[in-house]
Amino acid sequence: MHHLSKVAGAVFAGVLALAGSSEAALGAPRAASEPPSFSVAVAGVGLPSRISLTSEAAGVTSFDYAVAGGRAAAVPAKDGAAAGNIVFPAAGPADVTARAYAGRRLVGESTQTVDVSDVPGVSSDEFLNPDVTPLVGTTGTFTFTPHARGVVKYYWWINDGGAQEVRARHDGTAKVSWTPPADVSAKYELFVQSVTAAGAQSARYDEWVRIQDPRPGIEPAAGTHEVGEPVAVTLSNGASQATGFVYSFDGGPQQSVSGAAVTVQVTPSHAGDALFTAQTVLAGGTRSKAVTATVTVTDMPQVSVVSAYGQTQPVATEPTTFTFTPKVPNVVSYQYTVDGDGPHPVAAGPDGTASITVIPDTGQHSLTVSSVDAAGVVSDARDYEYTSLDPRIEVFAEFGDGAGEWGFFSVLNDLSPVTVAYHWSVDGGPEHVTPVDPNSGGVTDLEYRPALSGTGTVQVQAEYNDGTLSAPAGITFEVG
């Protein structure tokens, strides 16, 4: 009885083993408890790609793997790891399933989606090397590597240029040479497609090619440039070989300066366009092609202002003197307009300057002036826009707390920078003098404690730095 029991058990175990083997072959394994890990180095379409498998489960003796819908390939395991080749029939996402076994026992199963591409590989020691950026005009090579089976040629082109064809060698690779145009500083975009013997074209390779233009960047300072006034010009070049620059301005002598980004000063001597020309100096002393920038220069005269109380901004209702200073030699006169009235002539003195005096009212105004030299040449016109300062003062009162409580008068004044004090009196009473803080910002508070409620009056005058007083400003106020 004991013997029969042993035989029956052995037969039953054999049936189980056979069943497990059949399930694995049919692709219907038992539930995975310890799934393996794997990675695939995709070589392309129809080419052997390398799959690496690992499992942390004890006693793993083999793996198998397959692309969805394909036959499984088995490889033996050593120390829980194995590797093999896998071939993808088409580009696009592909599901790969791997299984780990301990003997005939399924240890675990895992599935990953792998992105398969037939875009050719492209390499270049000169143009696609992160450690090297060549100069425009440098000749280098591109090497094309197939990522599909049976590649016989490649199409390649730069930017919007026409496609060029290159035949592949027996191993499917190809090599082409290229020289970035020396007179172009645009970006370069490389496109490559492989073609199989059956005529199938791959997806396109698309990559920007890093190039350094050795020519300098020239950037004159923004704004208006005037005769006799220095102009800042910035020179720059990002090429690793750049050591400095040589430049000349308006036909003058050549100057040199060191550095990859520097700012120099030049001074124009005439109106119109003046040319600034520069070259980058490269390691070893070679120079780039020259680049020229235009600096536009004006000869319009300068305008300075002196008004009442020493103000350099016109003061309304006060005489204001505008002085014209030439930017060119031999100026004998000026022609000007004020708020569109003119032009009016004014003779220049021996030093070429001239002055006019006007009495502006409040608000916005414009003055336009050009110089005239002895040959009758008229300069560019300067448009001088200005707003007249208002000499009137404004007074506001705040006495909401009633009689016997402190309140204040607020005085607003455009001429506060030249106001030294305010003279003020309430209801014809004694005069108070309050000094003005020069940093008041145009507003000064005059503190006052009214003795009675009701209506009151206040009169205020500004005292300026020359001792004169403004016209009095008065208001009526209420004490609650």
Side-chain angles (χ1 to χ4, degrees), residues 141-144 166-167 169 173-177:
T141 60
F142 296 107
T143 299
F144 306 148
V166 58
R167 300 296 299 178
R169 293 181 288 201
T173 65
K175 186 174 288 189
V176 297
S177 64

Side-chain angles (χ1 to χ4, degrees), residues 147-197:
H147 284 170
R149 186 178 183 82
V151 168
V152 295
K153 64 182 177 180
Y154 295 88
Y155 295 127
W156 70 284
W157 63 99
I158 301 288
N159 292 349
D160 296 327
Q164 302 181 61
E165 180 181 315
V166 58
R167 300 296 299 178
R169 293 181 288 201
H170 68 278
D171 62 354
T173 65
K175 186 174 288 189
V176 297
S177 64
W178 180 63
T179 304
D183 58 348
V184 177
S185 59
K187 291 183 178 180
Y188 296 101
E189 191 172 10
L190 171 66
F191 301 93
V192 185
Q193 278 184 294
S194 65
V195 183
T196 68

Side-chain angles (χ1 to χ4, degrees), residues 39-44 48-52:
S39 62
V40 181
V42 179
S49 297
R50 198 66 173 162
I51 182 170
S52 300

Side-chain angles (χ1 to χ4, degrees), residues 64-158:
D64 69 16
Y65 53 87
V67 180
R71 249 182 108 131
V75 288
K78 182 179 180 181
D79 298 327
N85 291 329
I86 185 170
V87 176
F88 296 99
D95 289 338
V96 177
T97 298
R99 298 170 183 160
Y101 299 89
R104 292 185 175 184
R105 181 174 61 85
L106 178 66
V107 174
E109 173 186 307
S110 61
T111 298
Q112 292 183 28
T113 299
V114 176
D115 289 325
V116 181
S117 171
D118 60 358
V119 173
V122 180
S123 62
S124 173
D125 290 338
E126 299 84 13
F127 302 123
L128 299 174
N129 185 341
D131 299 322
V132 176
T133 305
L135 295 173
V136 169
T138 300
T139 298
T141 60
F142 296 107
T143 299
F144 306 148
T145 304
H147 284 170
R149 186 178 183 82
V151 168
V152 295
K153 64 182 177 180
Y154 295 88
Y155 295 127
W156 70 284
W157 63 99
I158 301 288

Side-chain angles (χ1 to χ4, degrees), residues 161 180 333:
S333 66

Side-chain angles (χ1 to χ4, degrees), residues 19-46:
S21 176
S22 297
E23 286 176 357
L26 293 172
R30 291 172 293 178
S33 57
E34 295 187 66
S37 298
F38 66 91
S39 62
V40 181
V42 179
V45 176

